[in-house]
């Protein structure tokens, strides 16, 4: 054995970093391993470059001459710490931060070779590590498109879509989740003809239905061609007009793009990680445990981030990393996902927490909802908004908020009042009597909370917002 630790973290993305830093603050000896970028996808090919590009696209949309693509590309490179003469981001700051905390960082391929034993290989060298606990924080990778003919197409993932320095002549996006929708708006606003194909009936299928409507409307307003309820069944490389790739759809039509982006979901790379050494049956489904966010999946073995579920969010991974470190430290803590926020950073943004009215009723909750149309609010009038909403869902029995959805300016910030309200089980009486700055987006909640309290009490509310 090369070294012995209290904790070995496999994967140094946001979850792995959070687990490492928290464990070190609690005095644990920690080894952290990653095969590629310390920091993971989020700062390099995910959250940060995509948001930088969305910002640039909004600036270009407002003033094309002032903010052209070369400036956007340079700003994205700054955000991911990529020099002008480099093809990949520089992750050294993440390594330094982990090492400064006192952790030992290993770059290489990790495999569990026994209970509490991890082998790390890199450039022909091999390290054998032992640890009382192992945390699996391997993240996820873009799910490949599996249709006949696709092997002839140089398919983009979020990596190519966020790192490219050249605009494609046209872009076809397969998948209408947050990644597909955000990148569709980026490229459409920079003048690229964009088509997005979604197999289900609506974009952003895990979001609130009203949010999905707003996202579709804003993409179509920006010139994106949206195709829903159709599925890709075949590909013909260069088979379209002017050498564009052609994707055959199951309704007999086609969609084309000079670049094809796979945004149909994510997969957790657990093959050959060695989980069988902890008694997990790896011969069947992947992963070989429920992705329900429980964190502890076997004695001395934890999964966090995308590998853990229940969803795929950077903030979820960070939360789980710190919680796993506390659990390993002996604290009696349990994950709570009732108030897990989701945000899509299109313009306007869309955010959702808790459950929809339909979801509440399916769970047996006697719930009702209140809806405000954003364009009819003071903030909406002030900025000349023509779409958007704020929706809240209330449990009659507990008189508490159980869900909220926002699609308008500042949605990703405004939703957090509802995140806290759900997490802390704040009574509607308190929410309705909380002062909100006028005419902020959050002020609209004030009127909805007052309306909800009036319905609970059988009285009439005075409109606000």
């Amino acid at each position: 054995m090369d070294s012995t630790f209290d904790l070995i973290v496999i994967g140094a993305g946001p979850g792995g970093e959070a687990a490492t830093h928290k464990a070190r603050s609690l005095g644990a000896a920690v080894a952290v391993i990653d095969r590629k970028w310390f920091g993971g996808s989020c700062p390099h090919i995910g959250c940060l470059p995509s948001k930088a590009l969305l910002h640039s696209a909004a600036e270009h949309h407002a003033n094309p001459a002032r903010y052209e693509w070369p400036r956007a590309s340079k700003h994205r490179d700054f955000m991911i710490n990529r020099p002008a003469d480099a093809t990949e981001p520089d992750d050294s700051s993440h390594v330094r931060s982990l090492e400064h905390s006192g952790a030992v960082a290993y770059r290489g391929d990790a495999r569990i070779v026994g209970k509490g034993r991890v082998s790390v290989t890199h450039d022909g060298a091999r390290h054998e590590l032992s640890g009382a606990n192992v945390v699996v924080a391997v993240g996820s990778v873009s799910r490949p498109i599996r249709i006949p003919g696709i092997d002839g197409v140089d398919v983009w993932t979020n990596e190519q879509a966020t790192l490219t320095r050249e605009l494609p002549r046209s872009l076809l996006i397969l998948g209408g989740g947050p990644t597909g929708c955000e990148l569709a708006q980026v490229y459409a606003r920079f003048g690229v003809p964009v088509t997005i194909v979604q197999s289900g009936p609506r974009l952003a299928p895990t979001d609130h239905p009203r949010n999905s409507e707003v996202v579709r409307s804003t993409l179509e307003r920006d010139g994106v061609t949206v195709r829903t309820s159709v599925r890709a069944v075949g590909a013909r490389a260069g088979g379209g007009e002017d050498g564009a790739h052609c994707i055959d759809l199951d309704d007999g039509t086609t969609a084309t793009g000079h670049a094809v982006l796979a945004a149909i979901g994510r997969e957790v790379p657990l093959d050959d990680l060695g989980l069988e050494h902890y008694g997990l049956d790896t011969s069947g489904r992947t992963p070989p445990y429920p992705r329900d966010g429980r964190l502890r999946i076997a004695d001395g073995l934890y999964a966090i981030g995308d590998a853990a579920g229940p969803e795929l969010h950077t903030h979820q991974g960070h939360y789980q990393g710190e919680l796993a470190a506390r659990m390993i430290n002996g604290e009696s803590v349990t994950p709570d996902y009732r108030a897990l926020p989701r945000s899509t950073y299109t313009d306007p943004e869309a955010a959702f927490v808790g459950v929809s009215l339909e979801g509440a009723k399916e769970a047996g909750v006697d719930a009702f909802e209140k809806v405000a149309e954003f364009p009819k609010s003071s903030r909406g009038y002030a900025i000349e908004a023509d779409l958007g909403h704020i929706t809240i869902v209330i449990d009659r029995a507990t008189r508490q908020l159980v869900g909220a959805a926002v699609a308008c300016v500042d949605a990703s910030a405004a939703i957090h009042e509802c995140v806290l309200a759900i997490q802390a089980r704040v009574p509607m009486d308190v929410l309705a009597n909380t002062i909100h700055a006028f005419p902020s987006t959050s002020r609209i909640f004030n009127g909805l909370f007052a309306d909800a309290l009036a319905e609970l009490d059988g009285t009439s509310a005075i409109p606000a917002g």
Side-chain angles (χ1 to χ4, degrees), residues 103-114:
V104 180
Y106 293 88
R107 194 184 298 275
D109 292 302
R111 189 179 193 281
I112 299 168
V113 294

Side-chain angles (χ1 to χ4, degrees), residues 121-365:
T121 57
H122 187 272
D123 293 336
R126 179 174 177 177
H127 303 277
E128 288 271 342
L129 314 179
S130 66
N133 295 279
V134 174
V135 170
V136 175
V138 295
S140 62
V141 295
S142 182
R143 181 175 294 141
I145 301 169
R146 298 181 176 95
I147 56 175
I150 198 64
D151 289 345
V153 178
D154 185 15
V155 177
W156 278 10
T157 66
N158 60 297
E159 179 172 345
Q160 290 75 28
T162 56
L163 293 185
T164 185
R165 289 185 169 120
E166 300 293 334
L167 289 173
R169 293 162 64 187
S170 62
L171 177 63
L172 170 59
I173 301 174
L174 300 182
T179 296
C181 291
E182 289 179 0
L183 292 172
Q185 187 171 58
V186 166
Y187 286 101
R189 285 189 163 185
F190 276 106
V192 176
V194 177
T195 299
I196 188 167
V197 172
Q198 167 67 5
S199 60
R202 60 187 178 96
L203 299 180
T206 61
D207 208 329
H208 190 283
R210 289 193 182 91
N211 284 1
S212 297
E213 293 173 8
V214 172
V215 170
R216 177 166 187 156
S217 294
T218 195
L219 292 185
E220 290 180 330
R221 184 173 61 187
D222 283 342
V224 177
T225 299
V226 178
R227 302 282 307 276
T228 52
S229 298
V230 286
R231 186 181 300 274
V233 294
R236 287 173 282 136
E241 185 178 349
D242 199 21
H245 303 302
C246 186
I247 301 296
D248 298 315
L249 306 176
D250 63 0
D251 65 351
T253 64
T254 61
T256 62
H258 288 87
V260 177
L261 168 61
I264 57 176
R266 310 283 295 179
E267 293 181 346
V268 181
L270 294 175
D271 294 345
D272 201 35
L273 189 60
L275 297 180
E276 65 274 8
H277 293 289
Y278 281 86
L280 297 173
D281 181 6
T282 59
S283 62
R285 64 187 179 87
T286 299
Y289 54 84
R291 286 187 64 257
D292 55 9
R294 70 180 64 181
L295 306 190
R296 184 181 180 276
I297 55 176
D299 185 25
L301 181 66
Y302 296 77
I304 62 174
D306 294 356
E311 298 182 20
L312 306 174
H313 305 288
T314 295
H315 45 279
Q316 172 189 286
H318 190 278
Y319 166 77
Q320 291 174 332
E322 293 195 340
L323 206 64
R326 293 172 59 195
M327 293 168 71
I328 290 168
N329 192 53
E331 296 183 41
S332 181
V333 290
T334 304
D336 181 358
Y337 303 108
R338 291 177 303 110
L340 178 62
R342 308 107 170 162
S343 294
T344 300
Y345 292 88
T346 47
D347 176 19
E349 298 175 340
F352 181 32
V353 65
V355 294
S356 65
L357 179 61
E358 295 73 20
K361 290 183 174 180
E362 288 174 5
V365 176

